[in-house]
Structures are given as structure tokens and as C-alpha cells.
Amino acid sequence: MSEFRIHHDVNELLSLLRVHGGEGAEIYIDLLQKNRTPYVTTTVSAHSAKVKIAEFSRTPEEFLKKYDELKSKNTRHLDSLVYLLSKLTEDKEPLELTRKILRDKQKKRNSGQPIPLFPSWVYERPALVGDFLTGISLSTDTTVPIGTLPLASQESMIVEDLLYVLIGVDGRYITAQPLMGRQSRAFAVDPNLDLSIKELVTRILPVAASYSAVTRFIEEKSSFEYGQVNHALAAAMRTLIKEYMILITQLEHLQRQGLLSLQKLWFYIQPTMRTLEILASLATSVDKGECMGGSTLSLLHDKTFNYTGDSQAQELCLYLTKAASVPYFEILEKWIYRGIINDPYSEFMVEEHELQKEKIQEDYNDKYWDQRYTVVQQQIPSFLQKMADKILSTGKYLNVVRECGRDVTCPVAKEVIYTLKERAYVEQIEKAYNYASKVLLDFLMEEKELVAHLRSIKHYFLMDQGDFFVHFMDLTEEELKKPVDDIITTRLEALLELALRMSTANTDPFKDDLKIDLMPHDLITQLLRVLAIETKQEKAIISADPTELSLSGLEAFSFDYIVKWPLSLIINRKALTRYQMLFRHMFYCKHVERQLCNVWISSKTAKQFSLHSAKWFAGAFTLRQRMLNFVQNIQYYMMFEVMEPTWHILEKNLKLASNIDDVLSHHTSFLDNCLKDCMLTNPELLKIFSKLMSVCVMFTNCMQRFTQSMKLDKEMDRLTLEHGTMLGPPTEEERAEEMVKKKLTNKLLAEHADSLHLTSGFEATINKFDSNFSTHLLDLLDKLSVYSTNDCEHSMLNIIYRSSRRAGAAPSAAGFEIASRNTEVAASAVALYLRASGSSHDSISDRKKCISHCRGRAVPSGQNW
């Protein structure tokens, strides 16, 4: 037997047994495929299987007759299926196993809560079901053939049979046929019945078929696995069926008095026929759709609207929908009024997931706010579809406040009742949403001081506490020069505490939440792992050789911040990581600036010497000043043209925010704009900028080594000249001798500097640094001009303008070609600025005029064009 055939047969068998659920079918299919026998069922095994089934059946004669009929038609796989059925008769577990699968599924969804069980005798006693028991009828051997009776007697017998059939019991001459799948119930009428009576009987039998469908639905959906909405719907249908049973009882009373004819029965039953037809239609639709919870309500709501124009049918559907919606609205009321989900059967539109709020500060990808509570689309009733997002947010807001230990109850809470006019419960949901938004927003803003915490983070991560960073970098400079593995974190923590106490940061009430964090990778690697990590380019870069193997403390250093619940919803790990990237970017720029300033300080001593090769020393000073101007302008741009204006926008938006989702959106937008305008979201720009910073650092190291060598030689010469001097106050002769010694020292230092310059190729080194710096700066300006025009990133025009102001400073006397190129860079940048800002002065002649003007005059360092 093929795999497709096994699937078909198992599903058909489960359908005939009225067992629904795809997981159950899959389990049986897997079991059958694993236990397939390589041999064909023999005649002996088929015969023994047939005998066993006949013994198990309540109507063995009918079974054997049906078997012989199918055998005569040469039905495919008949013996194999009979053999399978004989094995199933030995196993009493299939139905129980399927129900167990449903219960396990519900238990898994409800955090291990067990689903209640009906006692086993409910399933073992089919006579308890109000539906037909096929094979058991009132017929006996003494039944008189109806065709031999007079017409009046036939009518009387048929009326009695119909009263039985209308309550789910087979009659003598009318019997129910076995169900085939989800088909409606069919009946067999004695063929010898008079045609006129048979015609009327055929009109009445659909009532019995509808009653059978409704009864089966009520019995099946009353099981715990199908949820409270289906329970309520089944209970409402049971109420209507009781009314129907009262009608049948009254008709039976008339029949016993001899006052009920077939025509009267047809007359009395017609109003009920429409009701049972609608009930059967609803039951069949819910059963076929395997609806539960919100999907059941959607189906009932749509049916109610579809019956517009038929007042009786619409009223009936409205009654059923109201009854079925009661348990759903009870769950809804607890959610929107208290922030509690009590949904044991997974019927509600909001689903709860087990997530720990403590992980918000540990996992970068943890999305507690988005994933703790989610909307299940198929469980949203169609009449609440437009309000689904507000319902989700309302409960989430109240749930956050509840988890902080505060009991919240909506003061405008009212019972939500289903109605065709949606305005009633829409207004209730709106009121609950407004209350929940205000409660959580006030709780975070006032009691938990969200803005104060954000301002504290800004002080440290966005470096707006100048004196604190001066103290901190002075204290930790030597420690951060070490490799990251050699740094003692506790020592850095102690120095941080000292810097906090010695600066204006001491007045910050949240300063103790600031911590040291030594990252395992540099800034570029961190950015490529966090931003747009799904692109192939990023994955290729990440999979490359890591650069963080030999990190220094400066490259790995960052701050961290302790955030407690519920502020961690806003200041989560994702937000803190973005703050860290901004901080590391600016902190390294500050470090480069300090190094260049140290070079400036150490170079001051060289100005007192009358050096013969002052031209190449002046070139180094000019390059240092250009680098310093560039770094300072970049820092100014980031702090005062990006972060400060964006921060003021954030503060303004937070004051206008009406709910916590607005706060989250504004805060995320603030960080995204800062990262984008600081070039941290563009790997190409960041790499160029990193190269510029590397050139600056290497230049400062070179200059520090040179000036250190000069200081040592100066000290040696001073000791040599002072050797043998007498103690006591200097005389005129000693003063004259001192002046001679000083001139001699300067001469020796100048000669030493010249020799050092000649032996070490210092001028060539400076020219190389100048060339590299100018090349990378030109590349950065070109890329910025492209992004500012093509991607409409107009804020980057400020970088072009500020960089162009300093790019034209004269580099060195020996590097005229480089100086000319830098002049072209400045002129190009000015032209780009004019073009991007909308000016029409972007012609070739204007560019040439600008370049010739730049070459024709010396532009001192630090001045504008």
C-alpha cells in the first residue's frame, strides 16, 4: 500500500469515527508505516479477521452481508482493511489516544496546566449520547409489513415512528443510516410505504437530520479540549434543543390522544425546521473549520450579519453569539481592566509566552516587549479586528504595572456585551486603553524617573560631563594603555568612583549605576555584528579573521549601566548597546585629541632652539595642527550638531508622548538618528574614518618618540655642562658663563636634531603621514558628498563644511604637491557644499577660480576661507 493511500485511509477512518485533529492522524500514519509487514494478508488471516469483527459487531449478519457484497465487487485492499479493523477491535485506545493528544497540546500551551478529563464511562456508553445508535432499532420479528396495512393505519404507524426519529431513536419503518464522514444524517424508509405518505415523511426527515447534527455537535464540543467558547455555544444549543424536546413531548401527547395526523405533525414541525436547520448549519461550519475561541465567534458574527433581512434567523444567531461570547469577553475584561490573562484553553487573541524580564539586560536580541505577549490572528473575532492592537497594548501596560507590585483596576470598568453595534464595546476598550496608557506612562515618568535616568545616561555615554572625563582620562590613561588582558577591572572601577566623586557628576543621583565594561571586540566589529547583520557583506566581514585578539584597553573600554525593571523596557540591552557604540566612537576621538595635544605640548620645547632644519619641523607642526583641527571639528559636529539637537527633540517628544509605545519609538528614533549622523551605520564611512584616526595615532607616537629622544639628549648635555660648577650665588662672570653654556647647549641640540633628522629620514616620514592623512581625508569628503546628495543625508554637509575649512591649511614646505592637492580638496568640498545647499555656483570655472584663489594665498591654520 502506498504512502498516499495510507494517509487517505487513516484520515477517512478517523472521520468515520468522528475523531478530529491532524496530529492524531499523523501519529497513526507513522505507526502504520513503521509496522508495515512485507507479506500480503493471507486468506486465512482475512477469514479470522472477518470472524472476529462479526463477533465484535452488534449486527454480525449485516456486517457479513456487506463484506460479501464488497467482495463480489472485487474491492481493492478489502482483506487488508478488514485485518486492520480486526486489530483495532482488540485495541480500545485509539479514541482515547487522540483525545490525549488534544489534551497534551492544550497543556503545552498553558504552561503545564492539566486539562480536566471526563470519566471513561462517558465514552464507553454510547447509549448516553442523544444521537442515533445505528443497528439498534425498534423492529422485531413480529413487525407487520407496512404495505399490508390500510392507509390510515400506515399513517398512524409512521407518525409514531417519526416521533421516535425526531428525538434520535430508530423507528420500525424509518431507520438512520451510518454516517459517512461529515455528511448529514440519511434515513432509510420502508419501500412498501404509500407514496403519498412517503412524500410527506421525506419533507419531515430533514428535521431529524438537523437534530442529529446538532446533538452530535453538543456532545463532542462539550469535552474540555474544545474550549469555553464552544462549551458556551453548545450550552446555548442545548437550551434550544430542550425547547425542541418539549415540542416533541407535546406532539407525542396529541398522538396518544389520537389527535395527531401526519399533516398536523408537518404543520406543527415547520417553525422548528428552520431553527434546527440554522443550528445544524452552524454546527457543521464550526466542526469543519475546527474553530475554537475567537474563530468560533468570528464565524457566528459573520453568520449573524449574513442573515440580515431574515429577522428570525438573525435573532437566533444573535442569541447564540451573545451566549458564546460571554466566556471570551470575561477573558477580555480581565485583560483590559487588570492586565491578567486567564485562558486555559488558548482561545483568546492574546497569547502569553514565558520570558524572563531579567534577560532584557543580558541578551541583545531579547525582545521582551514584543514577544512576551503576542496577537494570535486566527483567534481575533472579526468584530474586534480593528481594536486588536489596542487590546494587546492595554493589557501589556497594566501587566507591567502589576509586575512592579502595584494592583491596578480600571475605574471605568464595565461589562462588555456583544452587540451588532460595535460602538458599545469599542468605547469601553478605548476608555480602558486611555487609562492603561496614562497609568504606565505616569508610573515610568514620575515614580521611576525615566527622563532623569536618560539624562544620566547622556551625561556619561554621550560625554556631556566635561570635567568628569578630564579627571577620568587623567586617572586611567596609563591603565588603559595596557593590553586588555592585563587590565585589572577592579582598579578601573575604583578610578571611576574617584573621578565621579571629584567632578560635578557627584551630584547625579544615579551615578552608582555606571559600571566599567571591557568589550571583547573593537568598535567596527561590534557595529558589523549589530547593524544590518543579515546582509551577506556583514556576514563575510564577521567570518573574517578577528581583529580583537590584540586589543588595548582604550579600544576595548566602554561604560555599562544598570537598569532595573520596568525601565529596562525602554533602556534595554539593545538601546544600551547603541549608547555604547556612540560612547566608544567619541571616547576614541577624545583620546586621539589628547594625544595630539600632548604632541603640541612636547613640541613647545623645540621652539626655543635655533634649528638649521626648521622647515621640516614646521611641516610636522602644521600636520599636527591639521589633524587636531579635524578631530576637534568632528567632535564638535557630533556633540553639538547631532546629539544635542536630537536630544532636545527627544525631550520634547517625551513630554508629548501619550503611551509607552510612543516613548519606545521616540527613544529608538533618537538613537538611530545619532548613529546615522555620526557615520556609525555606514561601514564604508566608518572604515575611512578609522583609517584617519589610525594615521593620527601613529603620527603622535612617532612625534612622541622623537621629542623623548631630544629630552634625553638635552638632559645629558645639561649634566655635562653643569659638571664641576661651584655652589653659592652666581657672580657676573658666572652669569656670562651660564649664557655661554646655554648657547652651547642649544647648538649641540640643534646639531643633534639635524643629525637625527638625516639618519632617521624624519622628513620623509612626516611627508608620508601628510600624504596618507590627505588621501584619507579626500576619500572621506568624496564619500560624504555622495551620501549627502544621493541619500539626502543633509546633516553630513556640516562634516564636509567643517573638514573643508581645515583641509586647506598649508601642509609642509617640502610637500608642495600634497599642499596643492589639499587645496583642491578644500575647493572641491566648498563646491560640493554649495551644490548640496542648493547654490548654482557649481561650474568648472567657479571650481578653477576657487582652486587658483586657494593656491594664490596662504591660509593660516585655524582661519576660515
Side-chain angles (χ1 to χ4, degrees), residues 296-454:
T296 299
L297 293 180
S298 294
L299 189 147
L300 293 172
H301 177 75
D302 295 341
K303 288 281 187 180
T304 304
F305 263 97
N306 290 340
Y307 284 123
T308 302
D310 187 345
S311 59
Q312 181 186 358
Q314 189 174 52
E315 186 178 353
L316 175 62
C317 288
L318 185 60
Y319 164 76
L320 293 174
T321 310
K322 280 185 177 180
S325 65
V326 169
Y328 193 91
F329 280 149
E330 286 179 356
I331 302 173
L332 176 65
E333 288 168 13
K334 280 190 177 180
W335 176 245
I336 64 174
Y337 293 150
R338 299 184 61 194
I340 299 173
I341 284 186
N342 184 13
D343 183 22
Y345 303 105
S346 302
E347 301 173 277
F348 191 49
M349 69 171 72
V350 178
E351 186 177 14
E352 182 178 7
H353 304 277
E354 289 297 325
L355 293 176
Q356 297 179 1
K357 56 179 177 288
E358 292 78 9
K359 288 189 176 182
I360 296 179
Q361 288 302 302
E362 299 173 6
D363 299 336
Y364 173 80
N365 289 322
D366 185 71
K367 297 181 178 179
Y368 180 91
W369 184 249
D370 295 328
Q371 294 183 356
R372 173 68 190 278
Y373 296 101
T374 56
V375 172
V376 183
Q377 288 295 329
Q378 61 268 26
Q379 296 295 3
I380 303 176
S382 55
F383 52 88
L384 292 178
Q385 185 71 47
K386 296 179 182 179
M387 303 298 294
D389 291 336
K390 284 195 174 181
I391 291 172
L392 173 66
S393 299
T394 303
K396 283 168 66 176
Y397 296 162
L398 296 178
N399 185 265
V400 170
V401 180
R402 282 187 65 257
E403 290 196 4
C404 296
R406 291 183 53 179
D407 189 23
V408 288
T409 303
C410 183
V412 294
K414 291 182 181 179
E415 184 181 5
V416 182
I417 301 174
Y418 173 79
T419 174
L420 290 177
K421 297 179 180 179
E422 298 181 5
R423 179 178 298 180
Y425 45 78
V426 166
E427 288 179 355
Q428 285 299 111
I429 294 170
E430 288 280 1
K431 290 178 182 178
Y433 173 76
N434 294 333
Y435 169 76
S437 302
K438 186 176 186 304
V439 166
L440 181 57
L441 195 61
D442 293 344
F443 181 69
L444 290 179
M445 291 293 189
E446 297 174 8
E447 186 170 335
K448 296 300 180 179
E449 301 178 293
L450 173 62
V451 177
H453 277 87
L454 289 175

Side-chain angles (χ1 to χ4, degrees), residues 809-828:
S812 64
F816 178 76
E817 181 180 354
I818 300 173
S820 301
R821 186 179 183 186
N822 288 333
T823 308
E824 293 182 9
V825 171
S828 301

Side-chain angles (χ1 to χ4, degrees), residues 7 33 314 396 426 447 450 724 749 771 773 800:
H7 276 264
Q33 288 180 344
Q314 189 174 52
K396 283 168 66 176
V426 166
E447 186 170 335
L450 173 62
L749 282 174
S771 175
F773 180 76
I800 299 175

Side-chain angles (χ1 to χ4, degrees), residues 19 42 46 58 155 257 352 467 585 627:
V19 177
T42 63
R58 293 187 178 92
E155 182 179 359
Q257 291 178 340
E352 182 178 7
D467 61 329
H585 188 50
M627 290 179 174

Side-chain angles (χ1 to χ4, degrees), residues 99-299:
R99 292 184 183 277
K100 183 177 182 298
I101 292 168
L102 282 175
R103 290 194 296 270
D104 291 342
K105 188 176 180 182
Q106 297 290 344
K107 183 177 179 181
K108 184 178 179 182
R109 288 182 179 178
N110 292 280
S111 308
Q113 272 188 330
I115 301 298
L117 300 175
F118 278 142
S120 58
W121 53 263
V122 173
Y123 307 108
E124 294 172 356
R125 300 181 182 180
L128 293 176
V129 181
D131 195 16
F132 294 91
L133 293 176
T134 52
I136 300 177
S137 65
L138 297 178
S139 60
T140 64
D141 295 336
T142 60
T143 301
V144 179
I146 198 167
T148 61
L149 299 175
L151 195 61
S153 298
Q154 288 187 27
E155 182 179 359
S156 177
M157 299 294 288
I158 285 298
V159 168
E160 183 180 359
D161 262 19
L162 282 173
L163 291 176
Y164 277 108
V165 170
L166 289 175
I167 61 173
V169 180
D170 283 333
R172 290 186 178 88
Y173 307 104
I174 304 173
T175 56
Q177 298 296 306
L179 287 170
M180 299 297 292
R182 290 193 175 118
Q183 297 177 10
S184 60
R185 178 75 70 180
F187 296 91
V189 182
D190 194 311
N192 298 319
L193 186 64
D194 185 80
L195 289 178
S196 60
I197 297 176
K198 191 174 182 179
E199 176 65 26
L200 204 52
V201 168
T202 307
R203 295 182 186 181
I204 297 174
L205 284 179
V207 180
S210 299
Y211 168 81
S212 175
V214 174
T215 303
R216 279 182 280 118
F217 177 84
I218 292 172
E219 293 295 334
E220 181 181 359
K221 301 305 178 184
S222 295
S223 296
F224 290 103
E225 300 88 35
Y226 295 98
Q228 297 180 53
V229 173
N230 283 336
H231 296 169
L233 177 60
M237 287 186 174
R238 186 179 284 112
T239 302
L240 296 174
I241 290 297
K242 285 181 180 179
E243 298 293 328
Y244 168 77
M245 296 299 285
I246 292 173
L247 171 64
I248 300 301
T249 304
Q250 292 171 344
L251 293 175
E252 184 181 7
H253 180 67
L254 291 175
Q255 187 264 341
R256 288 187 177 181
Q257 291 178 340
L259 301 176
L260 185 65
S261 64
L262 193 58
Q263 287 290 342
K264 282 187 178 181
L265 177 60
W266 169 241
F267 175 77
Y268 287 130
I269 208 71
Q270 282 191 59
T272 307
M273 179 182 288
R274 177 60 173 158
T275 301
L276 285 177
E277 182 185 348
I278 295 171
L279 292 180
S281 173
L282 291 173
T284 304
S285 299
V286 172
D287 195 34
K288 285 184 178 179
E290 297 183 354
C291 300
M292 282 183 62
S295 56
T296 299
L297 293 180
S298 294
L299 189 147

Side-chain angles (χ1 to χ4, degrees), residues 654-667:
L654 290 181
K655 291 178 181 178
L656 301 175
S658 59
N659 56 63
I660 198 65
D661 285 301
D662 289 345
V663 174
L664 272 168
S665 175
H666 294 319
H667 185 233

Side-chain angles (χ1 to χ4, degrees), residues 79-91:
D79 290 338
S80 301
L81 291 173
V82 169
Y83 184 77
L84 173 62
L85 288 173
S86 70
K87 291 297 183 183
L88 290 175
T89 59
E90 298 174 0
D91 185 8

